[in-house]
Amino acid sequence: MSDFRSIVKAIFPSSLFEFYRTQKKKKRNAVLLSQKEKGHVFTKDFLVKNLQTIGIEKGDSLLVHSSLSKMGYLENGPDTLIDALLEVIGSTGNLLMPSSSNALLQLDYIRNNQLFDVQNS
């Protein structure tokens, strides 16, 4: 798949990819708004209950890497999920959530920035 993507990226201008990403984001936001309007909203209490149901408990360590928009409409945005996770694992648990501060695709970012300086990056 990555070979195909590389070929496509080499053939088409970057503006076309940016247009596609913008349209995809608009569509995703419309779906989330529709969920909100229909009352399909995830609340903190709902998430806490379901996280406990799947076996997460106080003192657990969690590594969470997710696309929030794929979860559905969260009552107060990302804070809803983070607050629910923290409540379930308690003060003795560990919540690890990787982040990426770049606007590029992760692979492009890595290819363009070969060095990672832990003190300055």
Side-chain angles (χ1 to χ4, degrees), residues 59-79:
D60 281 351
S61 293
L62 301 177
L63 173 60
V64 179
H65 185 144
S66 67
S67 171
L68 292 175
S69 64
K70 299 246 193 276
M71 291 184 67
Y73 188 85
L74 297 169
E75 184 176 45
N76 295 311
D79 289 345

Side-chain angles (χ1 to χ4, degrees), residues 2-59:
S2 63
D3 291 335
F4 175 74
R5 186 177 283 175
S6 297
I7 293 168
V8 170
K9 286 179 85 172
I11 295 171
F12 294 102
S14 61
S15 60
L16 185 61
F17 284 103
E18 196 56 43
F19 175 78
Y20 169 75
R21 291 177 80 189
T22 301
Q23 295 305 309
K24 187 175 174 183
K25 186 174 185 176
K26 285 180 184 179
K27 182 179 177 182
R28 184 176 58 238
N29 288 341
V31 168
L32 291 172
L33 182 58
S34 173
Q35 290 173 346
K36 178 185 178 186
E37 290 170 351
K38 292 177 182 176
H40 299 259
V41 176
F42 290 116
T43 64
K44 178 183 163 193
D45 291 339
F46 175 84
L47 293 174
V48 166
K49 178 182 174 189
N50 283 278
L51 290 166
Q52 290 169 334
T53 298
I54 64 171
I56 299 172
E57 52 192 35
K58 297 220 182 287

